[in-house]
Amino acid sequence: MTKKITVLGSTNIDRVVSVPRFAQSGETLHTDSHLTNAMGGKGLNQGVAVARSGVQTNMITKVGREFNIAENMAVKNLLTDHVMFSKTAETGQAYITVSEETGDNMIYIYGGANADLTVSDVNDHKEAIIESDFVVAQLEISIDAVIAAFKIAHENGVKTILNPAPMPETGGLPEELLELTDVIAPNEHETFLLTGVAITDEESLLRNAVYYFQRGIDTVIITLGSQGAFYMRDNGETKLVPIFKTTAVDTTAAGDTFIGAMATRLNKDLSNLEDAMVYGSAASSVTVSRPGAQPSIPFENEVLAILAAHADVI
């Protein structure tokens, strides 16, 4: 098992309302749900997913001065020595609407302190990255900060995992960031925004993978919602890992759980990628079956129980 993972990314306070279905433009709907608050942010979600699967997790993030670390990050194995306070911005906010009809969500984000996390901040906390086996990052913080972290990682033999979300609607990603990425894990919409190749069949998946290989990335994972997750390595190894079927209540943090949980099982040489992805898929199936972001992320024993129950088919 991986000894330590560093997660560089966002921390948000999620403000969630559940609605019977998504309204049409100009339509008003009644809901029995009041707005509720929970901890979230793609970075913190992934950090919690790592920690709850039993791996020590360095969390590099920035919050507002009003944020209570002891109260809001009280998760076993989640190390908060590298959480910083912004002098100018409040903690990031996410406004989430969840459809009771489908379990799907719509999310609007105010960056707040996340946007205040700088290259200098990353360099000040580089020891967290150096002591890790993997560093995981997303794009709810500045791309320059992620590049700085991945440079430190590569200089010290640390593997990098990039979840390119949210993907910029235009302009793609810097070539430098892609060259510093060992594993990239977009969903089908995010990869389309970057490669321009829509996911429609096996051939389009392969074309997407080749795009990343040509830019120096060794391993490509594309999550496909109910169809599972596709992976391909530049040695030709490829497979589609199916989902564990469950009743979807709230899909918030499903992708974050998959990535964080998967990383805890990965060998540093990525030789057990399929097995790690199966573990991540099982963890994600728990997350979608429960409401909220951080509250829905499962513990290791819950994931192992699902794997044991499906041992005859995996």
Side-chain angles (χ1 to χ4, degrees), residues 296-314:
S296 72
I297 297 171
F299 291 87
E300 181 180 35
N301 64 315
E302 297 178 281
V303 183
L304 294 178
I306 290 174
L307 293 174
H310 292 81
D312 57 334
V313 294
I314 58 175

Side-chain angles (χ1 to χ4, degrees), residues 166-211:
M167 178 72 73
E169 288 292 325
T170 59
L173 296 177
E175 292 290 321
E176 183 178 21
L177 176 59
L178 299 177
E179 291 168 359
L180 291 166
T181 299
D182 295 309
V183 180
I184 193 164
N187 64 25
E188 52 192 317
H189 174 67
E190 290 153 1
T191 195
F192 168 70
L193 289 175
L194 187 53
T195 69
V197 179
I199 302 296
T200 57
D201 53 20
E202 182 179 359
E203 190 270 340
S204 61
L205 284 167
L206 297 178
R207 287 173 61 197
N208 271 271
V210 168
Y211 174 95

Side-chain angles (χ1 to χ4, degrees), residues 33-34 64 68 77-78 164 176 184 203 205 207 213 222 241 275 287 312:
S33 171
H34 188 269
N68 187 321
N77 297 315
L78 187 69
E176 183 178 21
I184 193 164
E203 190 270 340
L205 284 167
R207 287 173 61 197
F213 297 153
I222 302 174
V241 175
D275 288 343
T287 296
D312 57 334

